[in-house]
């Protein structure tokens, strides 16, 4: 416990000492002699009343001193300094959203799913990348969930309206809906844990929302991007808004996405599946379940409760005594 304004206490003590000195220096009150007053003061009842009065006066003085000390302490602003080592979970999640033309009618729904996912995570770092023919990082990996929620809300609003600058930078490549390139960009969004100063190994997951309707010639095929992710220990969890029944052919869009996700140890869901959010959250939380302590952080918080509480009790006692001391 520390006092921010410690000098208030000696000032209060000096004021109390000066007040006591002035009280003792005051002129004695004028009195008039009363004949045979000793007969009254010698009465037992008078003596008992006088003792009660003196005890109450002494108690009032003590309560006043306690009240002064407590209020002076509160005015000195007591603070409590603590050192905390916040717990950080070593998981990174990148939300990877296809914003090509074929996803126009479903991207707003996917943004809602992303918002639900963000609410379920606690301590993990979250980032988001959008892509069409080129990729744009909407926000980097962060554990500031208020900021992430704000960005996801802006994304949903832009996807609902389909206008604005939200899509700027996603049309810089040749073609459209280059799924493999977009996924490869999301894989590269994770920082490299290399060198002597690298922290604890973090698990990495991508939540990829796409229908896998390719239009153009990507640098990376979906299979090559999945291989890149597997090589970096990145798990891919797929949300497919167009999971139609094309049969069991392995070259169908949905089948390719499922194969890519399973290759990395990830999962595959349709956007409207009730199991999508809990399933992905469960899969992510299965990875690297241990946590670690971040660097110690010092914090200071005001702690005026106990001096103000004592002052309130002393003040209440003085009020009661003042009422009892009335003639």
């Amino acid at each position: 416990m520390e006092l921010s304004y410690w000098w208030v206490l000696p000032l209060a003590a000096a004021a109390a000492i000066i007040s006591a000195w002035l009280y003792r220096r005051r002129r004695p009150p004028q009195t008039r002699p009363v004949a045979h007053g000793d007969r009254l003061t010698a009465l037992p009842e008078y003596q008992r009343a006088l003792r009660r009065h003196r005890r109450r006066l002494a108690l009032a003085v003590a309560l006043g001193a306690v009240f002064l000390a407590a209020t002076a302490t509160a005015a000195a602003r007591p603070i409590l300094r603590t050192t905390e080592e916040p717990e950080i979970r070593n998981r990174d999640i990148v939300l990877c959203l296809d914003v090509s033309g074929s996803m126009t009618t479903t991207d707003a729904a996917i943004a809602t799913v992303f918002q639900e996912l963000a609410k379920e995570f606690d301590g993990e770092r979250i980032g988001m990348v959008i892509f069409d023919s080129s990729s744009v990082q909407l926000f980097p990996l962060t554990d500031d969930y208020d900021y992430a929620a704000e960005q996801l809300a802006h994304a949903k609003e832009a996807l609902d309206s389909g206008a604005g600058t939200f899509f700027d930078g996603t049309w810089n490549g040749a073609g459209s809906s280059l799924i493999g390139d977009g996924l490869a960009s999301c894989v590269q969004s994770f920082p490299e844990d290399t060198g002597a100063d690298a922290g604890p190994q973090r698990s990495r997951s991508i939540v990829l929302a796409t229908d896998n309707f390719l239009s153009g010639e990507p640098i990376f095929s979906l299979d090559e991007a999945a291989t890149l992710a597997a090589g970096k220990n990145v798990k891919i969890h797929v949300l497919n808004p167009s999971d139609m029944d094309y049969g069991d052919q392995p070259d169908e869009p949905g089948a390719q996405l499922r194969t890519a996700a399973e290759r990395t140890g990830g999962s595959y869901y349709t956007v409207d599946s009730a199991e999508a959010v809990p399933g992905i959250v469960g899969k992510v939380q299965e990875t690297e379940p241990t946590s670690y302590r971040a660097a110690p952080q010092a914090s200071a918080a005001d702690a005026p409760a106990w001096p103000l509480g004592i002052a309130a009790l002393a003040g209440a006692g003085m009020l009661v005594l003042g009422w009892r001391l009335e003639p």
Side-chain angles (χ1 to χ4, degrees):
M1 184 72 69
E2 299 179 16
L3 297 176
S4 298
Y5 309 125
W6 58 267
W7 43 265
V8 171
L9 293 183
L11 286 180
I17 293 172
I18 292 173
S19 298
W21 180 77
L22 291 175
Y23 178 79
R24 292 178 64 87
R25 295 273 298 177
R26 79 189 191 287
R27 291 182 178 181
Q30 294 182 354
T31 60
R32 292 181 180 180
V34 178
H36 306 293
D38 55 329
R39 295 181 181 179
L40 173 65
T41 58
L43 293 174
E45 184 61 28
Y46 180 91
Q47 293 294 326
R48 285 194 296 269
L50 181 61
R51 286 193 295 269
R52 286 197 302 270
H53 183 73
R54 288 175 175 173
R55 285 196 297 266
R56 289 170 183 170
L57 285 177
L59 183 57
V61 171
L63 288 174
V66 171
F67 181 82
L68 176 62
T71 52
T73 302
R77 192 182 174 186
I79 58 174
L80 184 63
R81 294 189 182 275
T82 58
T83 301
E84 299 178 352
E85 294 182 351
E87 182 179 87
I88 298 180
R89 295 175 182 171
N90 53 341
R91 303 186 184 103
D92 289 342
I93 303 104
V94 170
L95 308 175
C96 193
L97 178 60
D98 179 358
V99 293
S100 61
S102 62
M103 295 282 290
T104 302
T105 59
T106 57
D107 272 341
I110 292 172
T112 300
V113 175
F114 281 177
Q115 287 177 311
E116 294 175 1
L117 281 170
K119 292 177 183 177
E120 294 295 327
F121 293 124
D122 180 19
E124 292 84 0
R125 295 193 304 186
I126 300 176
M128 186 172 177
V129 173
I130 59 176
F131 69 89
D132 187 358
S133 62
S134 56
S135 302
V136 174
Q137 187 179 63
L138 189 62
F139 59 91
L141 288 167
T142 178
D143 56 5
D144 185 344
Y145 283 85
D146 291 336
Y147 171 74
E150 179 182 347
Q151 295 302 310
L152 287 169
H154 289 330
K156 185 177 184 303
E157 181 180 352
L159 293 167
D160 272 328
S161 63
T165 60
F166 178 76
F167 302 96
D168 289 356
T170 61
W171 303 314
N172 294 338
S176 174
S177 192
L178 304 184
I179 313 300
D181 290 353
L183 178 57
S185 296
C186 293
V187 172
Q188 298 295 347
S189 297
F190 296 101
E192 295 291 339
D193 291 333
T194 58
D197 296 331
Q201 183 66 36
R202 306 179 69 90
S203 72
R204 298 168 171 181
S205 302
I206 289 176
V207 181
L208 173 64
T210 180
D211 54 14
N212 196 27
F213 291 166
L214 179 65
S215 177
E217 293 294 332
I219 299 173
F220 285 87
S221 67
L222 177 62
D223 182 69
E224 290 170 338
T227 301
L228 176 67
K232 292 179 175 291
N233 295 319
V234 177
K235 291 180 169 56
I236 301 173
H237 305 283
V238 174
L239 288 170
N240 186 356
S242 303
D243 187 15
M244 303 177 184
D245 185 7
Y246 292 105
D248 297 330
Q249 293 82 358
D251 59 341
E252 296 297 341
Q256 290 178 349
L257 287 172
R258 184 184 295 273
T259 300
E262 293 176 349
R263 174 182 298 181
T264 64
S267 55
Y268 177 89
Y269 299 94
T270 59
V271 170
D272 57 358
S273 171
E275 299 297 324
V277 172
I280 291 174
V281 172
K283 287 287 186 180
V284 169
Q285 292 180 345
E286 286 176 2
T287 62
E288 301 289 342
T290 58
S291 59
Y292 67 95
R293 296 289 179 179
Q297 298 179 358
S299 62
D302 288 334
W306 65 268
L308 291 179
I310 293 174
L313 292 175
M318 291 170 64
L319 288 175
V320 172
L321 284 175
W323 173 70
R324 297 295 300 272
L325 288 173
E326 288 183 358

